[in-house]
Amino acid sequence: MDLSPPVQFDLHRRMVRIRVFEEAAGRLAEANKLPGFLHLYVGEEAVAAGVCGALNDDDHITSTHRGHGHLVAKGGDFNRMMAELMGKSTGMCKGKGGSMHISDLSLGMLGANGIVGAGSPIAVGAAFANKYRGRGQVAVAFFGDGATNIGAFHEAANMACALNLPIVFACENNEYGEFTPRSATMAITDIVDRAAGYGMPGVIIDGMDVVAVHEATLEAVARARAGDGPSLIEAKTYRFYNHHGIQNLGLKYRPDEEVAKWRERDPIFTFEDRMIENGTMTRERVDEIWAGLRNEIEVAIKFAEESPLPTPDQILVDVYTSMTGAAK
Amino acid sequence: MSDVRKLTYGGAFNEAVRQAMEADENVFCAGEDIGAFGGVFGTFLGLQAKFGANRVVDTPISEQAIVGLGIGAAVTGLRPIVDLMFMDFICVAFDQIVNQAAKLKYMFGGEATMPLTITTGGGGGLSAAAQHSQSLEAILCHIPGLKVVYPSNPYDMKGLMTACIRENNPTVMVKHKRLLGMSAHVPEDNYEIPLGKANIMRAGTDVTVVAYGRMANETLAAAEKLATDGIECEVIDPRTLQPLDTDSITESARKTHKVLVVHEAVKFGGLGAEIASQIHELAFDYLDAPVARIGAPFSPVPFSPALEQHYLPDAASIEAGIRNLVQRS
């Protein structure tokens, strides 16, 4: 592990922030305190943290329906995120987006997305703009294994390579597209096999190892910033909870042993063990970090619960922008 | 001399884009064949030579990614013009247009601006058959967050396209393929026609006819013929279909008491249904007859000229429709 202690602490903190946020959201959903659907990121924290830890604040990301983790990893504010999940007017999207459209443009987070695969073409646009302006920014498209079966991904990957854009395609291969195993929906085992078809390099990494994710991203981002074009990173990972929510409401679609096997490789706990073993972290410090963030999330829940609901007069607000722009 | 300067409808589009690109370096174009080739209809001719391949971008045949390119660039600060060669191809890009471009601002709590112009060639009359001739504007007008613009002549094209590019909302600019060669006076100086403002193309007292795109011109021809029989038509071209200038239309309805709506899209569920309904809701007491509609029959656009010429409304069928309406009292 060549990463400096401050970088390790940063990656760890990003992961714990995600876990704490998602566990809290899951509990609230179980208590029927969150309207709508909730796709939890628990188990996949190393991917969002490892990738976003390699980005600058002004780099862009597009996300998925399982998007809270990406926003938290990019620095998303707990209070406004939790308020958004509750549909409050103080939420990140003023209660108009919810879990599936959570976003923060000031952090370069161009939105979770309810349509599988739809974020990648938008990331291509952000990458195009970054190249056009020449300020060295990059874009990252997060997507799952299932998204690589939809046309939008193919078009985006091909166009990004054809135009040699500064973009990283970050695939979270959690082995299931909703409730159906990858093996039933594609004839290949590794998503990375698709990279060569577009003319970009691709690597497989252990998506439960934040250091591996981070190092692979640093390399891909460096390529992008240097003008050497797109890369694909396939992170093998796993969602610990259900496709949406915590409980498995329908038929069981994953063997218990499989879930248990992946849980043994918890990306946060294994990283903590490594850091403690290396002497960069102590158990006491780890406990402090968790306690501090758990405290922050309790504050966020209180903020969200006490926030006002949006009023009906807001329905027609922000459908359109009223002013026109430049190009005079 | 400038007041006799003429330009085609396609040339007016080109000039609006060129002037916008000269004025604002954030404006760029992307689409299939628009760069080196200048677009299959020539509407982007010369732009890549002038502005370079970075600002006039040849893309793969990938309509979803073309619109996505525009969305991502718009939301991060550029002012993109993306071209979908034929209006039929919006169907290929429908998720990006409907679920993404139209809704990002709203879903993000107003944080995003989406200064995106999607240009596309609409309409029939070229024996281009069912997948290259459609008029799908009503579908787009049904989507909150989009604006839809459909010029009927070169002057309007330049002013409306300029407005689309300056607009901070996603806008679909429909170029009627049969109007590309239409030539008329177009000022060289840059000007803007505000979106959402109808144009009263011809004043009249006996009947109001609302028509847009190529049908506005067919309606004008019908109106001139009827005038020789003493029937004075007021012809209104909404120019922007979303937002629709309901005020101008209903004001005219209150004056003439009879309204016909004409479009070349199929009649069922077309813009005519919406316009008729709005007039009935807002000016029913002024009407001497129900609002009448002319549109295409409910079939895909047929290929053979022998079929297509009967499929599309024209000056003769519009004239007949107006005569039929004015006979009612």
Side-chain angles (χ1 to χ4, degrees):
Chain A
M1 195 151 53
D2 294 333
L3 300 176
S4 69
V7 173
Q8 294 180 43
F9 300 154
D10 174 71
L11 298 178
H12 175 254
R13 184 178 174 79
R14 287 177 202 256
M15 288 199 291
V16 180
R17 283 191 87 224
I18 298 171
R19 178 71 57 92
V20 163
F21 184 88
E22 294 293 67
E23 297 279 10
R27 280 197 309 277
L28 290 165
E30 298 269 282
N32 286 321
K33 287 185 173 176
L34 300 185
F37 303 141
L38 188 74
H39 306 95
L40 295 173
Y41 197 74
V42 175
E44 304 183 7
E45 291 92 342
V47 188
V51 170
C52 292
L55 300 178
N56 297 331
D57 287 348
D58 64 352
D59 291 326
H60 299 106
I61 63 171
T62 61
S63 173
T64 69
H65 58 285
R66 199 176 304 288
H68 315 158
H70 302 131
L71 180 50
V72 172
K74 200 75 169 64
D77 177 67
F78 274 2
N79 288 11
R80 295 180 60 217
M81 286 187 70
M82 197 53 86
E84 186 60 32
L85 296 196
M86 291 190 192
K88 297 299 184 78
S89 64
T90 55
M92 211 60 107
C93 309
K94 298 177 186 159
K96 288 176 176 168
S99 166
M100 270 192 289
H101 306 296
I102 204 153
S103 63
D104 188 343
L105 296 185
S106 70
L107 297 172
M109 201 292 199
L110 307 182
N113 209 309
I115 307 295
V116 169
S120 289
I122 296 171
V124 168
F128 177 89
N130 291 339
K131 183 179 179 182
Y132 190 92
R133 282 190 292 260
R135 294 184 201 149
Q137 296 153 276
V138 302
V140 174
F142 285 104
F143 54 96
D145 43 301
T148 69
N149 297 332
I150 201 164
F153 168 76
H154 169 67
E155 292 191 15
N158 179 64
M159 186 180 283
C161 290
L163 301 179
N164 196 40
L165 299 179
I167 187 169
V168 178
F169 290 96
C171 178
E172 296 161 335
N173 180 356
N174 65 18
E175 293 291 327
Y176 288 83
E178 299 201 24
F179 304 97
T180 303
R182 178 197 42 70
S183 59
T185 58
M186 57 183 93
I188 55 172
T189 304
D190 300 319
I191 306 301
V192 78
D193 291 354
R194 300 195 159 161
Y198 303 112
M200 64 178 149
V203 289
I204 297 176
I205 46 167
D206 179 359
M208 308 307 267
D209 178 353
V210 71
V211 174
V213 175
H214 187 66
E215 287 176 339
T217 309
L218 285 174
E219 198 178 321
V221 167
R223 268 179 56 80
R225 289 201 211 282
D228 293 332
S231 311
L232 189 147
I233 294 171
E234 177 184 2
K236 305 278 194 187
T237 185
Y238 203 76
R239 56 176 194 244
F240 288 178
Y241 293 132
N242 198 15
H243 165 58
H244 64 83
I246 288 181
Q247 299 293 334
N248 199 17
L249 297 176
L251 288 172
K252 187 181 285 188
Y253 63 98
R254 303 190 300 191
D256 289 340
E257 315 79 66
E258 180 182 293
V259 179
K261 191 177 122 256
W262 280 95
R263 275 183 170 276
E264 279 172 24
R265 305 190 51 238
D266 187 300
I268 303 176
F269 302 153
T270 54
F271 186 53
E272 287 170 351
D273 290 346
R274 277 167 78 186
M275 286 196 296
I276 291 168
E277 211 170 287
N278 294 341
T280 41
M281 184 74 96
T282 62
R283 181 61 64 191
E284 293 69 33
R285 180 68 194 126
V286 164
D287 291 344
E288 272 174 32
I289 290 165
W290 281 88
L293 290 170
R294 284 196 169 119
N295 188 48
E296 278 184 34
I297 205 69
E298 290 309 316
V299 170
I301 292 168
K302 190 160 184 292
F303 169 82
E305 284 178 337
E306 290 174 356
S307 286
L309 290 161
T311 47
D313 62 336
Q314 294 302 301
I315 290 173
L316 285 174
V317 173
D318 289 329
V319 179
Y320 293 96
T321 302
S322 55
M323 77 278 192
T324 54
K328 293 288 178 191
Chain B
M1 284 298 283
S2 66
D3 57 343
V4 296
R5 176 179 179 271
K6 286 193 166 186
L7 218 53
T8 62
Y9 183 88
F13 172 87
N14 186 285
E15 186 164 275
V17 174
R18 179 171 59 73
Q19 290 178 345
M21 291 185 74
E22 284 168 347
D24 184 351
E25 62 180 16
N26 285 329
V27 178
F28 75 94
C29 308
E32 297 157 11
D33 300 320
I34 69 163
F37 191 68
V40 293
F41 300 113
T43 47
F44 291 87
L45 268 177
L47 294 175
Q48 193 186 64
K50 182 170 174 59
F51 296 105
N54 290 331
R55 292 187 71 191
V56 183
V57 182
D58 278 318
T59 66
I61 301 172
S62 303
E63 281 80 9
Q64 293 189 71
I66 290 168
V67 178
L69 177 81
I71 295 168
V75 83
T76 56
L78 299 186
R79 196 166 283 280
I81 300 165
V82 297
D83 188 62
L84 300 178
M85 196 182 290
F86 288 85
M87 192 175 202
D88 316 72
F89 302 172
I90 66 169
C91 303
V92 185
F94 220 42
D95 172 60
Q96 290 290 324
I97 297 171
V98 175
N99 289 326
Q100 313 298 331
K103 295 178 174 54
L104 283 203
K105 179 184 179 63
Y106 193 78
M107 295 191 301
F108 293 0
E111 288 304 304
T113 50
M114 188 63 62
L116 168 66
T117 305
I118 300 170
T119 63
T120 190
L126 294 173
S127 281
Q131 296 172 343
H132 290 74
S133 303
Q134 290 173 88
S135 298
L136 300 173
E137 57 275 8
I139 297 174
L140 298 169
C141 292
H142 192 63
I143 309 300
L146 293 181
K147 295 192 176 184
V148 183
V149 180
Y150 205 149
S152 67
N153 61 75
Y155 179 88
D156 286 358
M157 168 57 90
K158 182 172 171 182
L160 290 168
M161 184 59 190
T162 299
C164 286
I165 300 168
R166 291 176 183 172
E167 174 69 36
N168 275 341
N169 294 290
T171 302
V172 181
M173 154 60 74
V174 189
K175 301 171 274 187
H176 196 291
K177 300 189 287 287
R178 279 277 302 273
L179 294 180
L180 290 168
M182 176 186 183
S183 185
H185 167 54
V186 176
E188 189 162 3
D189 287 346
N190 198 228
Y191 61 94
E192 178 177 336
I193 296 172
L195 303 188
K197 283 280 182 205
N199 179 27
I200 298 173
M201 300 183 89
R202 186 185 194 285
T205 50
D206 297 323
V207 59
T208 299
V209 187
V210 182
Y212 57 87
R214 191 167 76 84
M215 289 302 117
N217 302 307
E218 295 294 308
T219 299
L220 277 182
E224 292 310 318
K225 191 139 181 249
L226 288 160
T228 61
D229 290 342
I231 299 171
E232 292 298 335
C233 302
E234 181 141 298
V235 180
I236 300 184
D237 175 3
R239 300 194 287 201
T240 305
L241 306 180
Q242 181 62 267
L244 185 69
D245 186 355
T246 304
D247 289 349
S248 294
I249 294 168
T250 49
E251 190 181 322
S252 180
R254 290 189 188 101
K255 184 176 82 176
T256 65
H257 314 299
K258 288 172 184 169
V259 185
L260 171 70
V261 188
V262 182
H263 51 62
E264 69 170 84
V266 294
K267 189 171 158 186
F268 188 98
L271 252 293
E274 176 65 30
I275 293 169
S277 188
Q278 291 205 19
I279 295 168
H280 288 141
E281 285 166 1
L282 297 166
F284 182 79
D285 295 340
Y286 294 84
L287 296 178
D288 288 341
V291 175
R293 291 180 291 154
I294 290 178
F298 199 65
S299 79
V301 184
F303 161 68
S304 172
L307 298 174
E308 194 183 23
Q309 66 178 335
H310 294 289
Y311 177 86
L312 296 172
D314 59 14
S317 62
I318 296 166
E319 182 192 334
I322 295 169
R323 285 189 190 279
N324 196 37
L325 181 58
V326 294
Q327 277 160 17
R328 300 190 55 153
S329 58

